[in-house]
Every structure is written in C-alpha cells, then in structure tokens.
Amino acid sequence: MGTMGRALYSVGFWIRETGQALDRLGCRLQGKNHFREQLSRHRTLMNVFDKAPSVDKQAFVAPSASITGDVHVGRGSSIWYGCVLRGDANSITVGAGTNIQDNSLVHVAKSNLSGKVLPTVIGDNVTIGHSAVLHGCTVEDEAYIGTSATVLDGAHVEKQAMVASGALVRQNTRIPSGEVWGGNPARFLRKVTEEERAFFSSSAVDYSNLAQVHAAENTKNLDETDFKKLLHKKNSRDAEYDSQLNDLALSENVPKAA
C-alpha cells in the first residue's frame, strides 16, 4: 500500500471510528428506546428491550457472531463465527471454558407443548459442535454436543454425556451422565469410553487456546497484517532458495546450505 493509500485508509478509519462512537453515544442518550429504530446495523452484542448481554473480558466472541439480550458468557469461553445466541424471551447462560462452534444457534423456549418458558443453561468446559441447535435446554459440565445435533425444549444432557453428530434430542429427554445418545429421535447407544472422557476435556482446552489466537489476530491493524504478509513471503522465498541450493549441492557433491 502506497503513501496515498495509507493516508486515505487512515482518514477512512477515523471517520468510521468517529461514526461508531457517535452511534454508541446516541444509543446511550436514547436509553431503552433506541431499539425502536427500524434501521438495523450488525452488532456482535446487542440489547433487546432492557436485556443486555454480559460477556467476560477473557471470553472470545467472533466478529460475525451475534449475542442478543439476556445472555451471560463466562471466562475463557468462545463463541465462534456465525453463531447466534438470542436471549430475548428468557436467559442464556454459558459457563467457563465452553466452546460454541461456527454457525451454531442457541435460543430459549417461549412457547411449547408444556407451556413453559425455559432458559438455556450450558455448563463449564462444554463442546458444542458446528451448526448445532440448542433450544430451551440444559447441558451440564464437560458434555459434548456433536456437529449438527439438535437439543430441544426441556432436554437435559448430564455431565460428560455425549450427543452424537446429527442427533435429535426430543423435548424433555434426559441423557444420563456418561452415556452416548444418537439418531433421530436420539436414543441410548452405549457408554462413554475413557478415551472420549479425556477428549471432552482436551477439546475444551484446545478451543480455549485457539480462541486466544483468533482474538489476537482480530485486534491487529492493517499495518501489522501487511507486515506479517511480507515477512511470510520473504521466509517462503528464503526457504525455496535454500531448497534449491541443497538440490544443487546434492547434484554437484558440494556442501549443503546451512
């Protein structure tokens, strides 16, 4: 990026920052009534009426995720790209060290056959796979919800239980601790193995560590990103050059490059 390009980028950046700051100030001055506006802008965190999200400072929320209303996200948890957590009719609680992976949906139950208004409660160190749907249910600590699984109103997944990928857990189903359930509708398949129990814990830790990397990348400005790209290209060229020298050394029986 040339000098003129950098100057235009900087001016544009500060205009956008000033606009966003003014928008936030305007929302504060409007108080609880700012939601009445029909114009919708994407916000990672958004109030609904008087309900505001609460996200721990050590949690990671991807820029394209949406957390709306009465939602609490605990320390070290990660909400990945494209996720929606909508706590409008009731609350959503996500414990510490839990990962909710890309494109998953977490909502609450406002109306169902039992007539109950149910929150969604997710414990500590839970792994929720890509594109899963959790609706008005409870998932205890260190449970595992597989990719594209659906857990419906009033269902209760106990500690270290596993819902297999693609499974449908019907309303008011209880999955006991240490059991694997799968299918549509979900039913008992077998007991959780010791290897799987260890994986539940390691998966939570791995995603927590990976979230820190993504959080750091998302805070970088354009200059840092451009410098990293240039450094990567240089290192790639150096590695290619060394490889060519080594190939030449092999063919001519000369010492290898250091």
Side-chain angles (χ1 to χ4, degrees):
M1 181 183 292
T3 303
M4 179 61 71
R6 289 182 180 277
L8 291 174
Y9 172 84
S10 297
V11 171
F13 173 81
W14 287 113
I15 290 174
R16 292 182 64 195
E17 286 294 305
T18 303
Q20 290 180 26
L22 290 172
D23 181 64
R24 290 192 293 270
L25 175 61
C27 288
R28 284 197 293 271
L29 292 175
Q30 289 177 295
K32 297 177 182 179
N33 294 315
H34 80 269
F35 70 88
R36 297 181 185 277
E37 296 177 10
Q38 293 185 358
L39 178 63
S40 177
R41 305 175 183 89
H42 175 76
R43 297 186 183 96
T44 303
L45 305 179
M46 192 178 79
N47 296 7
V48 173
F49 305 109
D50 60 341
K51 300 172 182 176
S54 172
V55 179
D56 189 275
K57 292 181 179 179
Q58 298 300 319
F60 167 68
V61 179
S64 58
S66 295
I67 299 181
T68 305
D70 191 2
V71 181
H72 174 81
V73 179
R75 185 181 181 86
S77 288
S78 52
I79 313 299
W80 291 85
Y81 303 93
C83 286
V84 175
L85 280 67
R86 180 158 60 94
D88 43 12
N90 211 318
S91 64
I92 297 172
T93 302
V94 180
T98 287
N99 61 90
I100 302 179
Q101 297 172 18
D102 312 68
N103 294 323
S104 292
L105 168 65
V106 182
H107 192 219
V108 290
K110 182 177 181 181
S111 59
N112 49 41
L113 293 174
S114 62
K116 296 179 180 179
V117 180
L118 300 170
T120 296
V121 179
I122 303 169
D124 299 338
N125 301 317
V126 174
T127 291
I128 298 173
H130 310 286
S131 301
V133 176
L134 276 66
H135 199 273
C137 59
T138 297
V139 181
E140 294 185 2
D141 299 348
E142 297 181 4
Y144 186 94
I145 309 298
T147 300
S148 298
T150 301
V151 185
L152 294 179
D153 307 357
H156 194 120
V157 182
E158 294 185 359
K159 184 175 182 178
Q160 291 189 330
M162 178 178 180
V163 177
S165 297
L168 172 63
V169 180
R170 294 191 296 185
Q171 292 185 1
N172 303 316
T173 300
R174 192 175 191 95
I175 299 180
S177 177
E179 292 188 0
V180 179
W181 284 49
N184 183 359
R187 63 189 186 283
F188 172 74
L189 299 179
R190 57 177 174 80
K191 291 288 187 180
V192 172
T193 65
E194 289 303 318
E195 183 180 7
E196 287 168 336
R197 288 181 191 273
F199 173 73
F200 296 164
S201 297
S202 65
S203 175
V205 172
D206 289 345
Y207 263 91
S208 181
N209 292 335
L210 183 60
Q212 294 179 35
V213 176
H214 280 256
E217 287 294 325
N218 277 291
T219 60
K220 290 181 179 179
N221 58 34
L222 183 65
D223 289 338
E224 290 177 298
T225 304
D226 283 349
F227 176 74
K228 188 175 180 180
K229 288 179 180 177
L230 289 172
L231 191 63
H232 177 72
K233 287 181 180 178
K234 179 181 182 303
N235 290 337
S236 296
R237 287 196 299 268
D238 289 346
E240 182 180 1
Y241 179 68
D242 288 344
S243 176
Q244 291 174 350
L245 285 182
N246 288 334
D247 291 342
L248 182 63
L250 288 175
S251 63
E252 298 182 0
N253 294 318
V254 298
K256 295 182 180 180

